[in-house]
């Protein structure tokens, strides 16, 4: 628009402006998302909406089973950072599309320290306030308070007008008293949060779990700047907190192991659903999506959600390590690799992979590859016990696979040369690690230091995967044609015990013979 035409439009009379489509009172952009709601605004409506509701229950819930364990975890954090304020946000909703949010899931560190799973709200923040030595909760050096948005009364406009927090839109939320009764924590409304986090920042060091809540990041950064706190030193302190909270989850307590057992059980049921769905998947243009959907239904029926996006990869797609498009067909005679886990309502997840013959029977070459991967997994599992180093699990699996690849004539060098740091030829067909820790995150404890992860000595209570694989891409000219397009991974969830290890997912068939018999039984 030229300057002249703009001036002409500005000079239009109100009637002419209306006729031309120009708005008499421009609506702020932020308000336009509400155009679809046609929300009544009369005083009569407000008064009517606030009346004649049954009273809310005054009965308080009992203490959650997780509360005692969460308190122990907070005590461990308190011991690590005496005299410092610890701020751990749950996180904020993430917009999926315009005014539609993804289902909310709290940051794993927040869930770990509060014991809360899905029944709490976005924007909540846990604050551990330093006290005199031993004067805090249960003799610790901190007093913990959970700040969150409590239930809005039915006499408030928020009750029916707020699509993110109103009970009319999203259902009831706990009151401050209810959440305190469940968690054993002090509770306070969000209106008190900013002062609690920023007061005396110059005198009280604040450690913040960053990147969980952008608003909290900004509040703390501004308070530190106003108080003259060194930004680089504060950033290092925040990073050390993230590291410590990640390392705190390396060893699971009894409650965590119990919830992981529940996740595994639901995941095994999901794999049974997958097998039953395979005949329908074969006749579908997007058969992999049929498989994905069958597992997802189980995850939502028995848990909170998927622990991660399901991999349902048939044929050559199984050689794509993170194939989550799941748009391919499921064909008779091929293998389908399914990597999936149910996230429990506690937010703990399983992570299991099985590679199944679509037709119900492995071919000779498929069985050969499958058995090699199974043997590598079994050899790695045999090493697991307290005192073994985490990295030795991977090394043992690689030793087995390099030997098989050499025996099949696929390695251009000896197994010893391939396994050397200067070689690694076998990694062309097994490029990923054999194990990762598992828990609240599918790749749990990811911020832990190398010496406590890869170089760590195994301890009772550690939970991790063992998941070797072989991936022979259809376009790989370094191998005979009979191997091309075959991808196999076998993954189980392992608990380190006092005298060895337990395969938590052992109830899901693993040997080729057991898999075939299991599939035949489920498909009738």
């Amino acid at each position: 628009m030229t300057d002249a035409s703009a001036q002409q439009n500005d000079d239009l009379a109100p009637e002419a402006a209306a006729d031309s489509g120009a708005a008499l009172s421009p609506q702020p952009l932020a308000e336009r998302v509400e155009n679809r709601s046609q929300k009544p605004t009369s005083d009569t409506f407000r008064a009517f909406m606030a009346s004649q509701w049954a009273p809310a229950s005054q009965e308080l819930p009992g203490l959650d089973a997780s509360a005692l364990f969460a308190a122990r975890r907070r005590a461990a954090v308190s011991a690590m950072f005496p005299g410092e304020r610890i701020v751990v946000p749950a996180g904020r909703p993430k917009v999926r599309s315009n005014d539609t949010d993804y289902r909310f899931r709290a940051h794993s560190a927040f869930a770990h320290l509060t014991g809360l799973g899905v029944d709490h709200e976005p924007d909540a923040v846990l604050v551990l306030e330093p006290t005199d030595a031993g004067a805090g909760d249960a003799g610790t050096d901190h007093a913990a308070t959970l700040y969150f948005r409590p239930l809005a009364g039915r006499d408030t406009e928020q009750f029916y007008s707020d699509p993110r927090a109103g009970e009319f839109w999203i259902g009831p939320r706990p009151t401050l008293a209810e959440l305190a009764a469940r968690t054993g924590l002090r509770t306070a409304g969000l209106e008190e949060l900013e002062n609690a986090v920023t007061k005396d920042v110059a005198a009280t060091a604040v450690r913040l779990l960053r990147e969980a809540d952008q608003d909290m990041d900004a509040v703390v950064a501004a308070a530190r700047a106003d108080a003259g706190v060194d930004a680089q030193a504060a950033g290092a302190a925040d990073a050390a907190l993230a590291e410590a909270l990640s390392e705190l989850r390396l060893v699971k307590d009894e409650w965590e192991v119990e919830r992981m057992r529940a996740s595994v059980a639901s995941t095994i049921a999901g794999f049974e659903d997958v097998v039953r769905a395979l005949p329908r998947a074969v006749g579908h243009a997007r058969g992999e999506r049929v498989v994905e959907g069958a597992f997802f239904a189980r995850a939502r029926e028995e848990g909170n959600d998927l622990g991660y996006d399901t991999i349902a990869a048939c044929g050559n797609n199984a050689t794509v390590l993170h194939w989550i498009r799941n748009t391919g067909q499921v064909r008779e005679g091929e293998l389908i690799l399914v990597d999936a886990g149910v996230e429990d309502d506690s937010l703990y997840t399983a992570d299991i992979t099985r590679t199944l013959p679509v037709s119900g029977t492995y071919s000779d070459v498929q069985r050969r590859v499958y058995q090699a991967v199974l043997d590598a997994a079994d050899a790695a599992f045999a090493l697991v016990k307290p005192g073994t180093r985490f990295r030795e699990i991977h090394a043992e699996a690689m030793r087995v696979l390099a030997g098989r690849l050499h025996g099949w004539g696929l390695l251009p060098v000896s197994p010893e040369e391939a396994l050397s740091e200067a070689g690694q030829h076998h990694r062309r067909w097994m490029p990923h690690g054999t194990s990762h820790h598992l828990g609240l995150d599918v790749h749990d404890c990811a911020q832990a230091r190398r010496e406590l992860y890869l170089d760590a000595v195994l301890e009772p209570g550690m939970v991790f995967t063992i998941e070797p694989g072989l991936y022979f891409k259809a376009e790989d000219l370094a191998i005979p044609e009979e191997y091309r397009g075959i991808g196999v991974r076998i993954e189980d969830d392992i608990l380190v015990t006092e005298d060895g290890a337990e395969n938590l997912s052992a109830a899901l068939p693993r040997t080729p013979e057991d898999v075939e018999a299991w599939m035949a039984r489920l498909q009738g």
Side-chain angles (χ1 to χ4, degrees):
M1 180 184 293
T2 65
D3 290 344
S5 61
Q7 181 64 44
Q8 182 180 7
N9 190 63
D10 290 342
D11 291 342
L12 288 173
E15 296 82 6
D19 289 342
S20 69
L24 290 175
S25 300
Q27 183 186 26
L29 189 64
E31 294 180 5
R32 297 180 196 178
V33 72
E34 298 183 3
N35 286 344
R36 62 175 173 77
S37 66
Q38 303 182 52
K39 179 176 64 180
T41 58
S42 69
D43 290 339
T44 301
F45 173 76
R46 291 190 182 97
F48 184 58
M49 285 297 291
S51 67
Q52 296 180 289
W53 296 106
S57 172
Q58 300 300 309
E59 184 178 352
L60 294 179
L63 198 66
D64 286 354
S66 61
L68 176 62
F69 296 97
R72 291 174 182 171
R73 299 166 201 153
R74 293 192 297 273
V77 174
S78 176
M80 285 186 268
F81 303 108
E84 301 183 60
R85 182 176 301 138
I86 308 301
V87 182
V88 182
R92 296 182 58 79
K94 182 178 180 181
V95 175
R96 183 185 187 278
S97 176
N98 193 26
D99 61 343
T100 303
D101 293 336
Y102 288 99
R103 274 195 292 272
F104 178 72
R105 185 198 189 280
H107 192 286
S108 293
F110 176 90
H112 193 236
L113 294 179
T114 62
L116 292 171
V118 298
D119 294 326
H120 62 280
E121 295 304 308
D123 307 320
V125 179
L126 176 69
V127 178
L128 274 61
E129 182 66 21
T131 66
D132 292 337
D137 300 334
T140 69
D141 297 341
H142 287 82
T145 302
L146 179 62
Y147 293 86
F148 75 107
R149 182 182 293 106
L151 180 71
R154 290 169 182 167
D155 58 346
T156 67
E157 189 169 342
Q158 184 192 42
F159 165 64
Y160 61 85
S161 67
D162 190 334
R164 261 189 170 166
E167 182 178 348
F168 215 93
W169 292 82
I170 65 169
R173 299 197 312 275
T175 63
L176 292 170
E178 288 170 342
L179 207 50
R182 284 183 52 194
T183 63
L185 286 161
R186 297 170 193 80
T187 56
L190 286 180
E191 69 277 3
E192 301 179 36
L193 174 62
E194 184 170 347
N195 180 63
V197 169
T198 61
K199 64 183 178 182
D200 303 325
V201 168
T204 302
V206 176
R207 290 184 189 255
L208 168 67
L209 182 69
R210 290 195 192 182
E211 299 181 6
D213 183 331
Q214 292 182 346
D215 287 352
M216 187 53 54
D217 288 358
V219 165
V220 172
R224 285 168 168 168
D226 290 345
V229 175
D230 181 83
Q232 186 172 357
D238 291 344
L241 174 64
E243 177 183 270
L245 295 181
S246 190
E247 292 172 355
L248 189 62
R249 304 204 302 270
L250 283 165
V251 175
K252 271 60 180 178
D253 57 39
E254 305 98 291
W255 183 83
E256 292 178 285
V257 172
E258 176 188 333
R259 298 324 309 161
M260 296 192 74
R261 290 187 189 280
S263 300
V264 168
S266 295
T267 299
I268 290 173
F271 271 88
E272 292 175 347
D273 296 336
V274 163
V275 171
R276 295 186 185 100
L278 276 177
R280 187 169 76 87
V282 170
H284 197 284
R286 286 188 174 184
E288 292 174 346
R289 292 278 175 94
V290 174
V291 170
E292 175 188 346
F295 189 88
F296 178 68
R298 178 67 63 171
R300 290 293 285 163
E301 286 174 20
E302 296 193 6
N304 175 50
D305 209 321
L306 298 169
Y308 52 95
D309 286 334
T310 297
I311 297 172
C314 192
N316 195 50
N317 290 343
T319 70
V320 180
L321 299 182
H322 286 169
W323 175 259
I324 58 173
R325 296 175 193 164
N326 301 339
T327 52
Q329 292 184 313
V330 174
R331 300 180 179 86
E332 292 281 358
E334 293 188 332
L335 298 178
I336 183 166
L337 186 157
V338 182
D339 186 334
V342 173
E343 180 183 76
D344 184 65
D345 284 341
S346 63
L347 305 187
Y348 286 82
T349 188
D351 180 10
I352 301 174
T353 307
R354 290 294 185 267
T355 306
L356 311 174
V358 174
S359 61
T361 305
Y362 296 96
S363 70
D364 289 344
V365 67
Q366 290 169 351
R367 184 180 295 265
R368 183 188 314 150
V369 176
Y370 187 97
Q371 189 64 53
V373 174
L374 181 62
D375 290 346
D378 287 346
F381 177 75
L383 286 184
V384 180
K385 62 181 184 299
T388 299
R389 290 197 177 274
F390 189 77
R391 63 169 57 253
E392 293 174 21
I393 300 168
H394 174 76
E396 180 65 9
M398 293 304 96
R399 183 191 64 78
V400 173
L401 291 181
R404 298 301 171 85
L405 291 167
H406 180 262
W408 300 337
L410 305 187
L411 279 182
V413 296
S414 69
E416 293 74 22
E417 186 175 347
L419 291 166
S420 70
E421 289 188 15
Q424 300 294 300
H425 301 74
H426 60 290
R427 299 301 294 276
R428 178 182 179 116
W429 301 292
M430 169 50 186
H432 60 78
T434 304
S435 299
H436 60 79
H437 279 266
L438 183 65
L440 281 164
D441 293 330
V442 65
H443 294 158
D444 210 22
C445 315
Q447 283 76 45
R449 289 165 288 176
R450 173 180 288 268
E451 57 267 30
L452 296 182
Y453 202 128
L454 283 178
D455 294 331
V457 173
L458 300 185
E459 300 178 41
M462 287 183 170
V463 180
F464 49 80
T465 66
I466 292 180
E467 51 176 310
L470 285 172
Y471 311 93
F472 299 117
K473 292 185 176 295
E475 58 273 24
D476 188 350
L477 302 183
I479 56 176
E481 187 173 355
E482 64 175 343
Y483 291 101
R484 296 175 194 168
I486 293 177
V488 173
R489 180 162 65 250
I490 303 169
E491 178 180 22
D492 287 285
D493 301 341
I494 310 302
L495 167 67
V496 182
T497 63
E498 293 292 339
D499 56 359
E502 177 187 351
N503 183 348
L504 298 176
S505 47
L508 193 61
R510 300 175 72 251
T511 69
E513 297 79 16
D514 287 347
V515 169
E516 291 171 343
W518 171 68
M519 292 180 66
R521 175 175 56 82
L522 290 174
Q523 293 178 354

